[in-house]
Amino acid sequence: MNFMKTRPVFRPDTRPVLRLLCLILTVCSTSMLQAQVVSNEKYKQEDKFRQLEEALPTPNEFRTASGAPGEKYWQQQADYVIDVELDDKLQKVIGSEKITYTNNSPDTLSYLWMQLDTNILSFDSDAHLTDTSSHLGKVGYQSMQQLLAKETFDGSMKIAAVRDKEGNPLPYTVIKTMMRIDLPRPLETGQSTQVSIDWSYLVNDSQSRPARTGYEYFEEDKNFLYEIAHWYPRMVAYTDNSGWQHKQFLGRGEFTLEFGNFLTRITVPDDHIVAASGLLQNPEEVLTPEQRTRLDQAKNAKKPMFIVTPEEAKKNEASQSTGKKTWVFQADRVRDFAFASSRKFIWDAQGHQVAGNEKPVMAMSFYPNEGEPLWSKYSTHAIIHTLDVFSKYTFPYPYPVAISVNGPVGGMEYPMICFNGPRPEKDGTYSKRTKYGLISVIIHEVGHNYFPMIVNSDERQWTWMDEGMTTFLQFLTEQEWEPDYPSRRGEPRDIVDYMKGNYQVPIMTNSESILQFGNNAYGKPATALNVLRETVLGRELFDYAFKEYSRRWMFKRPTPADFFRTMEDASGVDLDWFWRGWFYTTDHTDLSVENVRQYLLETGDPYVDKVRRKKERDEEPESLSDIRNQKLPKRTDKFPELKDFYNEFDDLDVTDADRKKFEDHLKELKADEKKLLETQNYFYMIDLKNLGGLVMPVILKLTFEDDSSEMLRIPAEIWRLNNQSVSKLILTEKPLKSLKLDPHRETADTQLSNNEFPRTISKSYFQLEKSKKSKNEMQKLQAEKKAAAEKAEPKQEQEKTE
């Protein structure tokens, strides 16, 4: 980002310099961290426990060193009044909005920036122009359709007018997915301004031009289902740490938005059902008396009940009305607004009391008959379950509704509403993957109400702050759905293959530069938080700190530093090594037990020590040479006179001198010192190596010769002086038979074969396969003729019969 070019003129003080420094430090990556490592040319080891303070933004009056909002924390306010019509004939959105923008910053603003995110579907968008391909080989028909649509479909937003409060035109400049509006006069601190914008755009067909929004066309009944998102000009966020966040929308880095209140009037065909962010304000105008009665009954229902039944939705598909209705919604303290509309919608709902919330939440699902029987069975239940579990770990869900919609968008989140794609087959059957895919995606997308819809992180910059945290809580929520839920992400063992691969970048990488997006921004941070909870901090400390972070930053805008600092502040544990390793590097866990040495205390008593040593010597195996040399004639047998004292002397025989020496030694000892000679403990020196680079706690299962076992958990700080190899001395009362590193696979260790001592034989399986000879061209032709003849034979028999 060219900071000086995009930042407005500030008052002549030091705050802009401070913010510039914060911005530079916030976007640091691995290379920056490496540049800050103190030069150490002699020890040749990186300090993996070096504190992160030099890499994180300097605390200030806006953001404190504890990770909490500062005394002078501020954020902007953007309130919207929107009138929009959905043209079902042209698949077009036509809108008009009035934005009241309040400048709560200490800065004077001479212009405003707007996001025109539908412009990502224009011909000249950076997303389109910078899209890369590897090769063209076999291309699917749908892929070909999508490839051609990029060259023919223009989904860009057409700005018809931009005016001030008095209706005077305002100058504006569109820069692809961004638009700058020049203000007639600077907007001072504490002042508000009003801007009106008229616009329109064509909605994309999700099959040929897939995006985070779009429509689905149903050929059988000639109807459309719309899921409409990033559909209006939205205020760009202006923040203390980055100024205007107007990085172009390239597709992966989602949205950075301001909180505000929305009054939205949505005009659609009068046989459509509309689901939207916020509370419906005019049910008496858009719902039938029966629908209103059902909706009222659903508030106290014990299970989801239909507001629009499958039979009513099926009947509605054939109506194709030409009339219109306007649905009015109010959504307060939200950063965005989305809606869905179709005459195909079944609608079910259930009121639910979330713990800690004064008013019940209406959990609601909207889906076509094509979603049955899967959706009526699972969707609203999944919503309610998500609200319960997420609220337990963060804060009570504060909004009045939570909605899940089935349509063309596979999984996308907005305040109070989300779009989810899984459906059964046409015959109503569904696979295990589809069932759990639906439950999981609903949990995930509904969970996004907490991150980033309420804890309002910068998605355009840091995908992991909402996707990773939501995926982590999704894992916890799935585990409370049923025993052995097949979660895809969260367990350390599931991230191993990614962690040991080379095609990756650190988590702390800008959203648009991430390699292996799902693993990097979803799987790895979710796993890191699970490891932090289960292995590093423990559940009690982690849950307290994570809830503190969530509540501190409700309806505010945290940065990564705020999260890192809050987790340490609330847990009381230094975690800089953990953030550094998991978030700023691509190191992986591979700890190895290299050797185990046993030590026993010698008593000093020659009748004990020498006898033991003699026994051990005599039990040593004979060498091959010794065995073969026994039959050789010996010279001393032929000349016995060559034998002397040493031929009979055994230095392990106990002598009087040995006995007297021990007795004299005992006389010199105090009673407590004599007691130490009776120590029966076993001393084991365990040699460990860190082969993967990631410092982690050492978790050992010790198994004794009597087959009993115990766990030994050593904090990661064991590596603080030498992060490559350490030796740990342990004492036991019983002899060890074996030991195993990370027996429950809780650290994402990538190499299990070096975790055991002594080493065990690894086993695998192979299959036998009979080779098949392929047919030649003549055989293929003969087979085709035979098949054609067999197909024609019944037809000929039928003709004879007739």
Side-chain angles (χ1 to χ4, degrees):
M1 177 185 293
N2 187 328
F3 191 85
M4 297 306 294
K5 191 173 181 180
T6 59
R7 190 73 183 253
V9 178
F10 301 116
R11 293 189 180 94
D13 58 21
T14 60
R15 284 176 293 196
V17 177
L18 180 60
R19 289 193 194 95
L20 175 58
L21 179 60
C22 290
L23 172 65
I24 294 171
L25 291 175
T26 300
V27 299
C28 64
S29 62
T30 305
S31 59
M32 186 170 183
L33 279 177
Q34 290 172 342
Q36 292 167 340
V37 172
V38 172
S39 177
N40 186 352
E41 294 301 319
K42 292 187 176 180
Y43 192 43
K44 301 292 185 182
Q45 278 198 25
E46 178 187 348
D47 182 2
K48 294 182 182 291
F49 289 84
R50 189 172 182 82
Q51 295 296 284
L52 273 181
E53 290 306 308
E54 61 197 1
L56 299 180
T58 303
N60 54 41
E61 57 195 351
F62 309 127
R63 300 170 187 274
T64 68
S66 69
E71 181 183 3
K72 295 186 178 180
Y73 174 84
W74 57 267
Q75 61 190 26
Q76 309 292 61
Q77 174 92 2
D79 299 320
Y80 298 79
V81 177
I82 308 177
D83 290 277
V84 61
E85 180 174 352
L86 179 60
D87 188 328
D88 193 36
K89 299 298 182 185
L90 299 176
Q91 287 71 59
K92 187 176 184 179
V93 166
I94 306 111
S96 177
E97 67 181 354
K98 290 181 180 178
I99 306 171
T100 301
Y101 184 75
T102 303
N103 180 18
N104 295 317
S105 79
D107 310 320
T108 299
L109 306 178
S110 57
Y111 46 75
L112 305 178
W113 280 96
M114 310 293 299
Q115 301 183 63
L116 311 180
D117 292 309
T118 61
N119 285 2
I120 194 174
L121 300 176
S122 68
F123 300 130
D124 66 344
S125 72
D126 284 351
H128 176 48
L129 295 175
T130 62
D131 191 24
T132 59
S133 302
S134 55
H135 68 280
L136 282 177
K138 291 183 178 180
V139 178
Y141 284 92
Q142 187 170 353
S143 297
M144 186 64 177
Q145 188 182 38
Q146 294 173 1
L147 186 63
L148 295 176
K150 289 182 179 181
E151 307 300 326
T152 56
F153 175 77
D154 181 12
S156 61
M157 190 174 286
K158 311 303 179 186
I159 303 297
V162 180
R163 303 183 183 89
D164 64 13
K165 187 176 183 179
E166 288 74 33
N168 301 312
L170 289 173
Y172 64 90
T173 304
V174 175
I175 303 97
K176 300 189 177 182
T177 61
M178 296 291 164
M179 178 173 73
R180 190 188 69 242
I181 300 175
D182 299 325
L183 299 176
R185 63 189 64 83
L187 187 64
E188 300 288 342
T189 301
Q191 291 183 343
S192 297
T193 189
Q194 190 177 96
V195 175
S196 298
I197 305 174
D198 299 334
W199 78 96
S200 64
Y201 71 92
L202 295 175
V203 182
N204 56 297
D205 179 349
S206 287
Q207 181 172 349
S208 62
R209 199 69 171 92
R212 300 181 187 275
T213 179
Y215 71 78
E216 178 179 8
Y217 178 63
F218 294 81
E219 181 67 37
E220 295 84 355
D221 50 65
K222 313 300 181 188
N223 281 303
F224 293 86
L225 189 160
Y226 300 89
E227 291 180 323
I228 305 299
H230 55 77
W231 54 279
Y232 59 98
R234 304 185 289 181
M235 288 301 310
V236 169
Y238 183 80
T239 72
D240 63 282
N241 61 293
S242 62
W244 292 107
Q245 172 50 295
H246 47 23
K247 189 179 188 301
Q248 288 290 322
F249 181 36
L250 300 180
R252 277 188 168 179
E254 293 179 35
F255 311 118
T256 310
L257 302 162
E258 302 286 10
F259 284 112
N261 302 320
F262 285 73
L263 175 62
T264 308
R265 295 181 282 260
I266 306 169
T267 300
V268 297
D270 64 5
D271 55 356
H272 271 218
I273 295 293
V274 177
S277 303
L279 269 179
L280 179 63
Q281 301 296 298
N282 61 336
E284 69 284 348
E285 296 177 8
V286 295
L287 301 181
T288 66
E290 189 172 11
Q291 289 168 348
R292 295 199 300 272
T293 299
R294 292 170 180 169
L295 189 59
D296 190 56
Q297 292 172 344
K299 293 177 182 178
N300 300 305
K302 300 301 182 183
K303 60 182 180 180
M305 62 174 289
F306 288 118
I307 313 304
V308 177
T309 68
E311 295 75 21
E312 290 166 345
K314 193 68 177 176
K315 182 179 179 181
N316 205 33
E317 291 176 0
S319 61
Q320 300 288 331
S321 173
T322 57
K324 297 179 181 180
K325 280 184 181 178
T326 298
W327 296 59
V328 182
F329 293 89
Q330 180 72 40
D332 295 332
R333 296 189 80 184
V334 295
R335 60 175 230 159
D336 200 2
F337 190 101
F339 68 95
S341 181
S342 180
R343 61 177 55 89
K344 291 177 65 67
F345 277 145
I346 302 167
W347 176 6
D348 73 48
Q350 181 185 348
H352 179 66
Q353 189 68 51
V354 177
N357 202 343
E358 294 181 3
K359 297 181 180 180
V361 178
M362 284 299 287
M364 302 188 288
S365 298
F366 297 76
Y367 44 93
N369 270 281
E370 285 78 1
E372 286 292 74
L374 203 58
W375 270 73
S376 61
K377 186 177 181 69
Y378 293 114
S379 179
T380 300
H381 275 288
I383 295 172
I384 291 172
H385 182 62
T386 303
L387 299 182
D388 283 343
V389 180
F390 271 65
S391 295
K392 178 172 64 175
Y393 291 111
T394 57
F395 43 76
Y397 182 76
Y399 293 133
V401 301
I403 298 170
S404 170
V405 181
N406 178 235
V409 178
M412 194 59 208
E413 70 278 2
Y414 303 95
M416 295 183 249
I417 188 170
C418 58
F419 306 151
N420 303 298
R423 283 182 189 153
E425 303 295 335
K426 288 186 177 181
D427 62 4
T429 62
Y430 50 85
S431 65
K432 178 181 177 180
R433 179 172 181 174
T434 299
K435 170 191 170 178
Y436 289 106
L438 174 64
I439 297 169
S440 289
V441 74
I442 292 174
I443 291 172
H444 184 90
E445 305 305 344
V446 172
H448 270 306
N449 278 288
Y450 298 80
F451 307 93
M453 302 305 157
I454 297 170
V455 180
N456 187 24
S457 59
D458 183 349
E459 293 183 275
R460 190 64 51 91
Q461 179 68 24
W462 306 115
T463 296
W464 70 267
M465 285 197 73
D466 70 291
E467 298 296 356
M469 291 188 189
T470 300
T471 303
F472 162 66
L473 288 173
Q474 173 191 339
F475 173 71
L476 300 187
T477 306
E478 289 169 346
Q479 298 312 300
E480 293 191 34
W481 179 272
E482 68 183 28
D484 302 319
Y485 188 97
S487 297
R488 291 179 55 238
R489 292 178 172 133
E491 283 284 8
R493 69 183 68 187
D494 295 332
I495 201 69
V496 163
D497 287 341
Y498 168 74
M499 293 285 284
K500 65 185 178 183
N502 292 324
Y503 189 69
Q504 59 172 295
V505 292
I507 292 174
M508 288 294 288
T509 298
N510 176 262
S511 302
E512 300 299 342
S513 301
I514 291 172
L515 304 177
Q516 296 202 56
F517 196 77
N519 283 322
N520 176 285
Y522 294 67
K524 185 177 177 182
T527 305
L529 295 179
N530 194 30
V531 170
L532 189 61
R533 181 175 188 254
E534 300 285 15
T535 302
V536 178
L537 291 178
R539 292 189 174 188
E540 182 178 355
L541 274 184
F542 178 93
D543 291 350
Y544 180 87
F546 192 79
K547 182 174 286 190
E548 178 68 15
Y549 164 74
S550 304
R551 296 189 174 189
R552 277 181 178 181
W553 290 98
M554 279 182 72
F555 298 109
K556 295 182 177 68
R557 192 189 310 281
T559 66
D562 299 319
F563 174 64
F564 298 154
R565 284 170 167 156
T566 295
M567 292 300 291
E568 293 192 18
D569 180 67
S571 70
V573 178
D574 176 14
L575 298 171
D576 283 13
W577 64 270
F578 186 84
W579 310 130
R580 183 181 291 275
W582 276 88
F583 287 76
Y584 285 90
T585 78
T586 56
D587 290 346
H588 62 272
T589 308
D590 182 7
L591 304 185
S592 172
V593 183
E594 293 293 297
N595 193 24
V596 178
R597 292 163 283 159
Q598 184 191 69
Y599 295 87
L600 296 171
L601 178 66
E602 290 201 331
T603 65
D605 185 343
Y607 290 103
V608 174
D609 296 340
K610 278 197 168 185
V611 170
R612 172 184 54 78
R613 278 185 243 149
K614 188 173 185 179
K615 182 175 182 293
E616 290 173 350
R617 181 198 64 190
D618 294 342
E619 289 177 351
E620 282 286 318
E622 289 184 279
S623 72
L624 182 60
S625 294
D626 285 343
I627 294 172
R628 291 175 174 175
N629 291 339
Q630 288 176 3
K631 296 180 180 180
L632 294 177
K634 307 299 188 293
R635 189 167 188 82
T636 53
D637 292 335
K638 188 175 182 179
F639 301 97
E641 64 272 18
L642 294 177
K643 295 182 179 180
D644 64 4
F645 168 81
Y646 291 104
N647 289 92
E648 301 296 329
F649 174 73
D650 188 339
D651 58 359
L652 291 180
D653 287 338
V654 179
T655 65
D656 289 339
D658 292 333
R659 177 183 54 76
K660 187 175 185 309
K661 182 179 178 182
F662 178 61
E663 291 173 351
D664 293 342
H665 177 64
L666 288 178
K667 292 176 183 178
E668 297 174 354
L669 297 179
K670 299 176 182 178
D672 58 338
E673 291 175 330
K674 291 180 181 179
K675 190 73 174 176
L676 290 177
L677 289 176
E678 300 174 10
T679 301
Q680 298 294 312
N681 293 81
Y682 296 84
F683 296 75
Y684 292 96
M685 190 70 72
I686 304 172
D687 299 328
L688 302 165
K689 275 195 175 181
N690 179 3
L691 303 177
L694 191 61
V695 292
M696 287 295 287
V698 175
I699 303 140
L700 288 169
K701 180 181 180 181
L702 310 177
T703 301
F704 302 100
E705 288 186 356
D706 62 1
D707 288 330
S708 64
S709 64
E710 66 179 57
M711 295 291 294
L712 177 64
R713 306 182 75 90
I714 304 170
E717 281 76 8
I718 191 175
W719 304 100
R720 67 189 183 278
L721 300 179
N722 186 331
N723 59 62
Q724 296 177 359
S725 61
V726 294
S727 295
K728 175 65 178 175
L729 178 66
I730 64 170
L731 282 68
T732 68
E733 295 180 353
K734 298 180 287 187
L736 271 180
K737 181 169 68 174
S738 65
L739 59 83
K740 187 174 185 178
L741 262 175
D742 194 11
H744 299 294
R745 301 181 66 178
E746 55 189 281
T747 67
D749 197 304
T750 61
Q751 179 75 310
L752 301 181
S753 62
N754 57 21
N755 284 16
E756 296 182 83
F757 197 93
R759 298 285 191 257
T760 58
I761 297 174
S762 62
K763 65 179 180 179
S764 186
Y765 298 88
F766 64 94
Q767 296 178 335
L768 290 177
E769 183 178 65
K770 192 171 183 178
S771 60
K772 296 180 180 179
K773 184 179 180 182
S774 60
K775 293 181 179 181
N776 60 43
E777 299 304 319
M778 291 179 67
Q779 290 171 327
K780 291 178 183 178
L781 182 59
Q782 290 173 355
E784 289 175 8
K785 289 180 177 179
K786 182 178 180 182
E790 290 174 350
K791 188 176 180 181
E793 193 172 308
K795 187 177 180 181
Q796 292 171 355
E797 290 295 329
Q798 184 179 359
E799 290 174 351
K800 289 179 181 179
T801 304
E802 293 174 353

